[in-house]
Amino acid sequence: MVDALQEEVRVRFAPSPTGYLHVGGLRTALFNYLFARREGGKFILRIEDTDQKRFIPGALENLISSLKNMGLHYDEGPDVGGPCGPYIQSERVDIYQRHIQELLASKTAYYCFCSEERLEDLRETQRKMKRPPMYDGKCRDLTEAEVREKLDAGAPCVIRLRFPKEGRTVFDDVIRRKVAVDNSVVDDQVLIKSDGFPTYHLANVIDDHLMGISHVIRGEEWLSSVPKHIYLYKAFGWDVPTFVHLPLLLNSDRSKLSKRQGDVAVESYMEKGYLPEAMINFIALLGWHSADDRELYTLQELEQVFSLDRINKAGAIFDLDKLNWMNGWYIRNFDVEVIAERTRPFFEQEGFDISDWQKYIKVIGVARDYVSSLEEMAPRGRMFYEELQFSEDDRTLMAEENSQKIYAYWIDALKGRSAWTREALQARIEEAMKTMGLKGKKFYFPLRLALFGNTHGPDIPTIIDILGRDESVERLQRFLIDG
RNA sequence: GGUCCCAUCGUCUAGCGGUCAGGACGCUGGCCUCUCACGCCGGAAACCGGGGUUCGAUUCCCCGUGGGACUACCA
């Protein structure tokens, strides 16, 4: 390890590439990122792909693009490089092999030749006897000669950690404070699998040390394996990093957040039109809260105010309702041009002709009051781009005498002038209501229906302003019965 | 089953011995308004239970209870 790295805050997000970035992973990545930024340290991306069976093509690219979309830029990582590479564990196998020799030599680790079947049977009987399922240590005390013989015979084997049976491991966690575990309940964890790849525990410890990680910020599911990790650090003669175990993100039934109970892929939230800014803001509030009552933050603002000591201990349910509100808030409060640009793909997908940018901006301005995601924008803009659909009841209303009078009046009025201000339009509406002796819904509903396709919606000046004079006249004329 | 962790409105949370237990989402009443939406104002809604410690516990300690994680040659 480079000496200069020693004083610096260095944290990492270390996902295994299982296909996509999970929202729980995003939260872990975000907290790591924020801590690094706040402390002026480094944020590193490391890929933990030591499980060959779970290789998924494209998963790495996916992960990287999701992190980029979210604005979580890392200082070191597989695609950006850095002084501690490679940052993909499958490319570091020789490093693990070298280090395991050291453990073998010091008797901290030992070869185990037990078959998977034996292990399964063992666990089965242990469970039946209501004993905790653990390795029984069959190969723990094999003599060197016995090991040599089996190895020479080419017997398949793994390498296990020789964890002490006595004593107690006590450690500090920034969030949980003191945690204590009896060594007798810690298993002789497999460190090197029969395919020569390391397990999480070995690779993680070695890499965290070699990469100069100062704070291990990760999910609470790792809390119970910390004793193994500490034992490894000490066996290697390394300093133990500071541990920060984040509370879990939960399904609405309080189990660990998983798919099948809604979307967990960050990617799919993007596809539905959730803004990265809203996702980040929302996720940040799951387990973290500022000292005041403020809840709306940009990523840059979070970088300034984030601190580990304001992280909660209890798990948090991922509440879609609040995300929807927050996303809607961002959609309504961002610059309309920005929202228009981001909504574009959704409109294009619908085949709407948005070449008239001025009109499009106006449509967005109206539509965004109604939605909680960009995906919902298209249904709210449709009436300005497509032919209106009417029900039988609609047609009945539009054929009524009053409706017809209104249409005739407006066709006339609109044709008379080429440009209207909203104020002039509103004044004309007041005037029309007076001369026709109609008011309120009696006047507005038929008019809005013919122009907008619904009796409920934006006010008339807004609709006419978006449609323009010609389209407005055309829409009215379509329902004028005798010309 | 064992070990570890956790526990304030339905949800996210503030609280760090004395508060009318605060905010946000959601729900709800009203205002704005032709309507819808937005927005604004108000309301209902919580300290898991039992013991301690203390003049006084949501807050500190213990025991229950409940929930979760881990218990793989997955991470």
Side-chain angles (χ1 to χ4, degrees):
Chain A
M1 188 182 70
V2 189
D3 280 347
L5 301 180
Q6 243 149 9
E7 295 304 310
E8 203 181 8
V9 163
R10 289 173 60 82
V11 295
R12 82 300 193 277
F13 174 50
S16 60
T18 52
Y20 53 83
L21 178 60
H22 188 282
V23 292
L26 174 61
R27 207 272 305 260
T28 304
L30 175 62
F31 282 19
N32 271 285
Y33 170 90
L34 292 175
F35 181 64
R37 288 292 164 272
R38 180 81 179 97
E39 301 297 320
K42 293 282 191 288
F43 174 53
I44 297 156
L45 175 65
R46 183 176 73 226
I47 303 300
E48 310 220 327
D49 59 344
T50 56
D51 186 6
Q52 300 252 281
K53 295 188 289 292
R54 293 212 293 182
F55 177 77
I56 293 167
L60 174 61
E61 292 70 18
N62 228 299
L63 203 57
I64 288 175
S65 95
S66 285
L67 284 173
K68 294 220 160 108
N69 286 156
M70 290 294 128
L72 302 185
H73 303 293
Y74 37 89
D75 304 293
E76 299 170 27
D79 55 331
V80 299
C84 304
Y87 293 89
I88 298 182
Q89 288 186 332
S90 59
E91 296 171 12
R92 299 170 64 83
V93 176
D94 56 320
I95 297 175
Y96 312 126
Q97 283 296 344
R98 238 178 10 248
H99 283 83
I100 197 68
Q101 293 311 320
E102 203 178 309
L103 296 182
L104 249 12
S106 67
K107 307 268 189 244
T108 309
Y110 62 91
Y111 284 100
C112 171
F113 300 91
C114 295
S115 68
E116 294 200 49
E117 297 74 59
R118 183 182 116 75
L119 262 19
E120 256 170 57
D121 290 348
L122 182 64
R123 278 193 288 270
E124 187 56 31
T125 50
Q126 283 166 330
R127 247 190 293 272
K128 272 183 196 154
M129 290 163 60
K130 293 202 186 283
R131 296 271 49 179
M134 281 174 76
Y135 182 60
D136 61 355
K138 181 166 187 280
C139 299
R140 193 170 157 120
D141 297 314
L142 254 32
T143 65
E144 257 174 73
E146 286 171 319
V147 169
R148 194 75 268 154
E149 188 186 326
K150 286 177 192 283
L151 247 27
D152 288 345
C157 67
V158 301
I159 299 174
R160 288 181 183 273
L161 175 66
R162 189 192 311 274
F163 198 82
K165 294 281 158 237
E166 257 117 64
R168 202 167 159 74
T169 301
V170 180
F171 62 95
D172 286 302
D173 183 277
V174 170
I175 294 169
R176 323 271 147 193
R177 301 180 62 79
K178 263 198 174 31
V179 179
V181 182
D182 270 326
N183 289 344
S184 62
V185 305
V186 181
D187 206 357
D188 276 5
Q189 185 62 233
V190 169
L191 263 18
I192 296 281
K193 299 181 262 190
S194 55
D195 63 2
F197 275 71
T199 57
Y200 171 88
H201 307 279
L202 210 226
N204 191 266
V205 165
I206 293 175
D207 286 346
D208 280 347
H209 172 74
L210 261 23
M211 294 181 181
I213 301 303
S214 60
H215 299 251
V216 172
I217 305 175
R218 87 246 277 194
E220 198 198 317
E221 69 265 31
W222 294 110
L223 191 61
S224 40
S225 25
V226 170
K228 294 169 192 170
H229 302 164
I230 290 178
Y231 191 69
L232 282 170
Y233 281 108
K234 295 200 168 150
F236 283 119
W238 296 336
D239 286 340
V240 178
T242 302
F243 291 110
V244 185
H245 286 91
L246 268 18
L248 261 18
L249 252 35
L250 275 23
N251 293 311
S252 41
D253 67 356
R254 295 216 157 268
S255 58
K256 186 170 151 186
L257 188 65
S258 63
K259 46 184 174 182
R260 70 179 307 150
Q261 293 202 36
D263 266 309
V264 294
V266 170
E267 204 185 339
S268 70
Y269 284 93
M270 293 300 94
E271 284 163 7
K272 289 176 189 159
Y274 286 87
L275 309 181
E277 291 85 349
M279 286 297 285
I280 289 289
N281 193 159
F282 175 69
I283 290 278
L285 260 26
L286 258 26
W288 177 88
H289 198 279
S290 65
D292 54 30
D293 283 329
R294 182 170 172 194
E295 294 200 322
L296 267 0
Y297 288 96
T298 64
L299 183 61
Q300 293 68 34
E301 288 166 338
L302 286 169
E303 290 172 23
Q304 299 308 308
V305 297
F306 182 79
S307 73
L308 294 179
D309 52 27
R310 294 200 62 81
I311 294 177
N312 231 54
K313 288 166 149 66
I317 292 174
F318 186 88
D319 178 21
L320 198 56
D321 276 340
K322 188 154 181 174
L323 204 216
N324 282 335
W325 163 76
M326 194 173 276
N327 200 49
W329 187 90
Y330 275 97
I331 290 173
R332 252 164 264 124
N333 289 278
F334 267 7
D335 187 287
V336 69
E337 291 277 352
V338 172
I339 296 303
E341 200 50 64
R342 296 201 200 179
T343 305
R344 197 175 180 155
F346 294 91
F347 272 45
E348 284 170 348
Q349 191 182 318
E350 292 293 320
F352 299 160
D353 173 18
I354 57 170
S355 56
D356 180 349
W357 193 256
Q358 288 311 307
K359 173 183 172 182
Y360 176 58
I361 292 293
K362 288 175 186 171
V363 171
I364 294 300
V366 169
R368 67 172 171 175
D369 270 356
Y370 292 82
V371 305
S372 56
S373 73
L374 262 25
E375 179 183 57
E376 295 167 12
M377 294 286 265
R380 293 293 172 178
R382 164 163 280 114
M383 46 288 277
F384 296 110
Y385 291 103
E386 286 184 342
E387 197 138 330
L388 271 16
Q389 302 292 319
F390 296 100
S391 67
E392 272 313 302
D393 286 352
D394 290 340
R395 290 180 193 284
T396 307
L397 175 59
M398 290 190 291
E400 278 176 14
E401 197 188 329
N402 281 335
S403 306
Q404 292 293 311
K405 268 166 60 184
I406 295 167
Y407 300 158
Y409 179 96
W410 278 100
I411 290 167
D412 232 43
L414 288 167
K415 275 181 171 169
R417 285 174 72 171
S418 57
W420 295 83
T421 63
R422 290 175 52 93
E423 291 70 25
L425 232 20
Q426 191 53 45
R428 195 61 188 260
I429 286 168
E430 309 292 339
E431 191 188 318
M433 288 196 289
K434 198 162 287 176
T435 55
M436 278 180 251
L438 294 170
K439 58 179 181 177
K441 300 172 186 180
K442 286 263 183 265
F443 178 85
Y444 284 103
F445 279 17
L447 187 53
R448 186 178 288 110
L449 185 57
L451 288 169
F452 182 74
N454 199 305
T455 53
H456 302 298
D459 56 30
I460 300 298
T462 299
I463 295 171
I464 291 179
D465 181 48
I466 293 174
L467 255 21
R469 187 190 66 162
D470 295 348
E471 176 66 15
S472 299
V473 169
E474 202 174 306
R475 286 188 174 191
L476 293 173
Q477 239 153 9
R478 199 163 305 151
F479 300 101
L480 196 59
I481 289 168
D482 17 67

